[in-house]
């Protein structure tokens, strides 16, 4: 700010999963290499506090494999985006999301470009290019962008990051998982063609999957925060956490009910939906759901909305629950990921 230097931040979403992180790193690197006027500093920002990086086990694993130390990353609590914007020095490119949360609403006018793979919830100003394509991974859109740029900009570490991210997001390009599109497959093939020494797909996917599901050292609070989305309704906040163990294992954690109470009270959540996902040896997903709230009307409304949902139908089967304040379900429709369940919960709120 003191030097009046423009800062062009590439920012992923608040979940700061592997896709958001790698999309921000790779696109900022590409922009820095290819922008004609180097008057701006291009800065990828991971949209979580540095202290939360311990929860991103698969991201830490992949960055470590490419020799990128955490010390070289910039986290949300280490850069004053509001201050930069007030000084008129901020440009913002959003990757893997296209609507800033309420707390960041003032930064909306700094947004100069969007790359996302979700359906658009809002329009942008005419001068702001928006790429919103229904592909399995936002890293696919970043790969396409880099591939259209000058030859030689894409290096092997960047290719390895993009390759691993697309494979993890698209469940090793398995059509049965319902996430992969022909463009994801094309980008993985393109990266492999340019860098034939990239490790085999199965090895990359299995190593990342193992790292993602390694929650062995995490407390319940960290498990809930590891992959968390918050939804707001009329004066109500609902937490929606992806949990990387099966529901039975999760419900058996010592002191779980107290942990759920503490978690919700500390953060002002009226309730919590835990969406568990686990895989068998054939990489087939199994999903279960738990709805926790001390507010009976909220819990009932959320459970009813999930049970009666038709777009998509979740095919829920009730499971025995250890406590009255928690509803538990097996989810027959394993293709209904959190991305597909969030609109149902939004409508219920």
């Amino acid at each position: 700010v003191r030097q009046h230097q423009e800062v062009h931040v590439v920012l992923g979403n608040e979940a700061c999963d592997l896709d958001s992180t790698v999309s921000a790193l790779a696109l900022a690197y590409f922009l820095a290499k290819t922008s004609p006027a180097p008057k701006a500093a291009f800065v990828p920002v991971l949209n979580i506090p540095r202290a939360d990086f311990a929860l991103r086990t698969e991201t830490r694993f992949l960055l470590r494999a490419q020799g990128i130390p955490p010390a070289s990353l910039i986290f949300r609590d280490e850069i004053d985006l509001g201050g930069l914007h007030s000084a008129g020095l901020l440009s913002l490119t959003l990757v893997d999301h296209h609507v800033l949360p309420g707390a960041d609403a003032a930064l909306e006018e700094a947004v100069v470009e969007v790359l996302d793979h979700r359906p658009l919830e809002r329009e942008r100003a005419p001068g702001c290019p928006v790429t919103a394509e229904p592909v399995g991974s936002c890293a696919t859109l970043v790969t396409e962008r880099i591939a259209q740029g000058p030859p030689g900009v894409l290096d092997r570490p960047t290719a390895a990051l993009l390759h691993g991210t697309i494979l993890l997001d698209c469940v090793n390009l398995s059509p049965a998982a319902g996430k992969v599109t022909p463009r994801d497959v094309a980008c993985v093939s393109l990266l492999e063609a340019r860098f034939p020494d990239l490790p085999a797909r199965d090895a990359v996917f299995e190593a990342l999957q193992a790292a993602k599901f390694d929650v062995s050292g995490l407390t319940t609070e960290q498990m809930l925060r590891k992959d968390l989305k918050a939804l707001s309704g009329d004066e109500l906040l609902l937490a929606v956490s992806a949990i990387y163990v099966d529901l039975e294992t999760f419900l058996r954690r010592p002191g779980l009910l107290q942990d759920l109470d503490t978690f919700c009270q500390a953060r002002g959540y009226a309730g919590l939906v835990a969406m568990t996902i686990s895989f068998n040896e054939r990489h087939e997903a199994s999903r279960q759901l738990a709805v926790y709230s001390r507010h009976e009307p909220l819990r009932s409304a959320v459970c009813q909305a999930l049970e009666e949902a038709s777009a998509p139908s979740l095919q829920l089967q009730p499971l025995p629950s250890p406590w009255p304040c928690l509803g538990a379900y097996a989810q027959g429709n394993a293709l209904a990921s959190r991305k597909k369940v969030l609109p149902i919960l939004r409508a219920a709120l």
Side-chain angles (χ1 to χ4, degrees):
V1 170
R2 281 196 301 273
Q3 294 171 1
H4 285 285
Q5 186 183 10
E6 267 182 61
V7 179
H8 188 135
V9 166
V10 184
L11 185 71
N13 66 41
E14 288 181 298
C16 196
D17 57 4
L18 183 65
D19 194 19
S20 265
T21 300
V22 167
S23 294
L25 291 174
L27 186 61
Y29 177 66
F30 173 73
L31 293 172
K33 286 281 196 191
T34 57
S35 291
K39 63 179 192 294
F42 290 92
V43 182
V45 174
L46 279 66
N47 204 355
I48 50 170
R50 183 176 287 275
D52 285 0
F53 194 47
L55 312 183
R56 306 298 184 265
T57 47
E58 67 276 28
T59 305
R60 290 170 70 94
F61 173 85
L62 186 58
L63 294 181
R64 188 166 57 238
Q66 296 311 315
I68 300 172
S72 69
L73 303 171
I74 297 172
F75 291 86
R76 185 59 198 269
D77 55 344
E78 297 170 340
I79 183 168
D80 180 7
L81 297 183
L84 286 166
H85 181 47
S86 302
L89 299 174
L90 180 68
S91 299
L92 202 52
T93 291
L94 304 183
V95 290
D96 203 21
H97 64 147
H98 63 273
V99 180
L100 288 165
D104 287 338
L107 302 176
E108 283 283 359
E109 55 202 30
V111 175
V112 295
E113 187 176 7
V114 170
L115 269 85
D116 195 10
H117 62 134
R118 289 165 188 71
L120 283 181
E121 291 175 32
R122 52 157 295 178
E123 293 298 311
R124 287 263 158 215
C128 175
V130 174
T131 306
E133 305 282 352
V135 291
S137 177
C138 190
T140 293
L141 302 178
V142 176
T143 304
E144 289 178 346
R145 174 75 170 276
I146 295 174
Q148 289 158 10
V153 173
L154 182 64
D155 58 21
R156 193 186 178 285
T158 308
L161 292 176
L162 293 164
H163 182 252
T165 301
I166 299 169
L167 288 174
L168 184 67
D169 263 0
C170 298
V171 196
N172 207 14
L173 309 186
S174 159
K179 289 196 163 183
V180 69
T181 70
R183 288 168 67 176
D184 301 296
V185 177
C187 281
V188 168
S189 300
L190 177 145
L191 293 166
E192 290 169 347
R194 294 220 189 158
F195 299 93
D197 65 330
L198 285 170
R201 294 175 186 181
D202 289 358
V204 171
F205 174 73
E206 277 159 26
L208 283 168
Q209 187 84 330
K212 179 173 181 171
F213 282 74
D214 180 12
V215 292
S216 52
L218 301 186
T219 64
T220 298
E221 187 244 7
Q222 287 176 319
M223 283 178 79
L224 293 170
R225 276 174 45 221
K226 177 173 163 65
D227 196 346
L228 172 70
K229 292 269 199 287
L231 297 179
S232 54
D234 297 331
E235 299 169 26
L236 279 180
L237 272 178
L238 184 70
V240 188
S241 292
I243 302 287
Y244 297 105
V245 292
D246 64 85
L247 188 58
E248 198 180 342
T249 305
F250 182 64
L251 293 179
R252 280 204 309 265
R253 286 179 76 87
L256 179 70
L257 190 58
Q258 180 60 55
D259 287 343
L260 294 176
D261 273 343
T262 305
F263 181 79
C264 288
Q265 282 175 8
R267 288 174 168 71
Y269 295 130
L272 169 90
V273 177
M275 297 188 65
T276 75
I277 180 165
S278 50
F279 289 87
N280 63 18
E281 58 284 351
R282 293 193 302 281
H283 298 310
E284 292 164 338
S286 167
R287 293 184 184 272
Q288 296 152 305
L289 271 171
V291 179
Y292 161 81
S293 179
R294 293 288 187 182
H295 304 271
E296 199 282 327
L298 173 67
R299 191 176 65 254
S300 295
V302 169
C303 287
Q304 184 177 353
L306 293 169
E307 288 170 16
E308 295 176 358
S310 58
S313 163
L314 305 183
Q315 299 161 21
L316 298 185
Q317 299 291 321
L319 294 172
S321 162
W323 309 289
C325 57
L326 185 140
Y329 300 93
Q331 183 180 316
N333 179 1
L335 296 183
S337 63
R338 182 172 61 178
K339 200 172 286 174
K340 293 173 181 164
V341 172
L342 285 175
I344 299 167
L345 293 171
R346 259 192 211 103
L349 283 184

